[in-house]
Amino acid sequence: MTDYVLSDETRARYKRISTASIATQLYKRGLRNQFIQGVKPVSKKAETMVGQAFTLRYIPAREDRNQLEVFRNADHPQRVAVETCPPGQILVMDGRGDASAATAGSILITRMDVRGCAGVVSDGGFRDFEGIGELNMPAFCAGPSAPTNLTKHEALDINVPIACGGVAVFPGDVLVGDGDGVMVIPAHLADEIAEVCAGMEDFEAFVLEEVLNGTPIIGLYPCTKEENQKNFDAWMEKKGK
């Protein structure tokens, strides 16, 4: 869907950028629906999740097509997606916002961790929730769910445009996930947003210090007073930025 390749430099920038900052910059560009709704991190991680999207689409299960025997098929899409999601990328699942059955469990997600994938996101459920939370790889979903995916979901398509948590996700889009949730950044904007947000993060760190020191918010955030701009410039110089 895209020829864009996330560079090491841009990936490193996003590791230091909050999803809130990204949301603001996308909003300024007219993109208001890029936050995946209803998903949370399975467990807190030291690093922000960053990677390009590799997708898996589920449809509602039909009983004559989704018996346990289907997992014996070497070409089962769920298993194939786990084995083909490239290292450094994020498997994003369209679970139709239905967490009443799992879209994956700890064994499959452990396999992705071992293979070097950057994360996994589903607007459905995960089984073996605690085990997934103990992995190094970040994981986001709508909640824990013991029933196998076959009870509600049929894995069908790999690396096609999908919906996840009400957001359109195209293969190659850049995802950033932190304690607030997951933002989806269109590939063609990824480098630009990372560069702008890096400066925004510095300014917000300055603002927070000022607020803690008793500075009124009006004229500070947004910065409309020349005095505050001068203070920020001096703060940046002191930080060596």
Side-chain angles (χ1 to χ4, degrees):
M1 299 296 296
T2 179
D3 294 328
Y4 175 79
V5 176
L6 180 67
S7 68
D8 291 341
E9 179 183 4
T10 297
R11 185 188 296 271
R13 278 181 167 172
Y14 277 123
K15 291 281 186 180
R16 302 188 298 270
I17 295 170
S18 70
T19 53
S21 294
I22 294 167
T24 298
Q25 290 303 320
L26 289 174
Y27 177 81
K28 287 182 177 180
R29 289 157 179 78
L31 295 168
R32 303 184 178 193
N33 187 43
Q34 300 302 119
F35 183 70
I36 296 180
Q37 298 292 329
V39 308
K40 297 179 180 180
V42 173
S43 63
K44 186 176 181 180
K45 301 299 181 186
E47 285 196 349
T48 296
M49 179 185 74
V50 182
Q52 289 185 263
F54 185 88
T55 65
L56 174 64
R57 184 172 75 97
Y58 283 98
I59 63 171
R62 199 175 74 188
E63 287 76 6
D64 62 330
R65 292 175 53 88
N66 288 277
Q67 301 300 314
L68 277 174
E69 289 74 18
V70 300
F71 286 147
R72 294 180 177 273
N73 298 334
D75 59 352
H76 187 271
Q78 184 202 43
R79 269 51 178 176
V80 173
V82 166
E83 290 292 343
T84 57
C85 179
Q89 294 196 14
I90 296 168
L91 180 60
V92 188
M93 302 184 199
D94 176 1
R96 302 174 297 109
D98 184 352
S100 62
T103 49
S106 65
I107 291 177
L108 298 187
I109 294 178
T110 298
R111 174 60 180 158
M112 293 178 58
D113 188 16
V114 170
R115 293 187 56 250
C117 298
V120 58
V121 179
S122 173
D123 62 357
F126 287 156
R127 68 197 311 198
D128 313 312
F129 199 76
E130 291 186 3
I132 292 170
E134 293 171 358
L135 298 174
N136 293 322
M137 187 182 72
F140 294 75
C141 74
S145 186
T148 177
N149 65 324
L150 300 177
T151 62
K152 288 291 184 74
H153 310 297
E154 178 179 342
L156 194 68
D157 293 319
I158 297 174
N159 225 25
V160 298
I162 62 168
C164 186
V167 180
V169 181
F170 292 83
D173 283 348
V174 174
L175 273 69
V176 177
D178 60 15
D180 285 349
V182 181
M183 290 296 301
V184 179
I185 306 155
H188 69 280
L189 291 174
D191 292 341
E192 175 187 338
I193 295 294
E195 183 175 358
V196 173
C197 282
M200 185 176 173
E201 291 285 316
D202 286 332
F203 179 67
E204 291 195 349
F206 161 75
V207 167
L208 186 57
E209 283 189 19
E210 290 294 295
V211 168
L212 289 171
N213 289 329
T215 303
I217 201 70
I218 296 172
L220 174 65
Y221 190 71
C223 187
T224 57
K225 288 185 177 180
E226 185 177 351
E227 175 188 355
N228 289 326
Q229 182 61 51
K230 289 180 179 178
N231 289 340
F232 173 59
D233 293 341
W235 184 88
M236 288 289 285
E237 185 175 352
K238 183 179 179 180
K239 297 287 185 181
K241 297 186 177 183

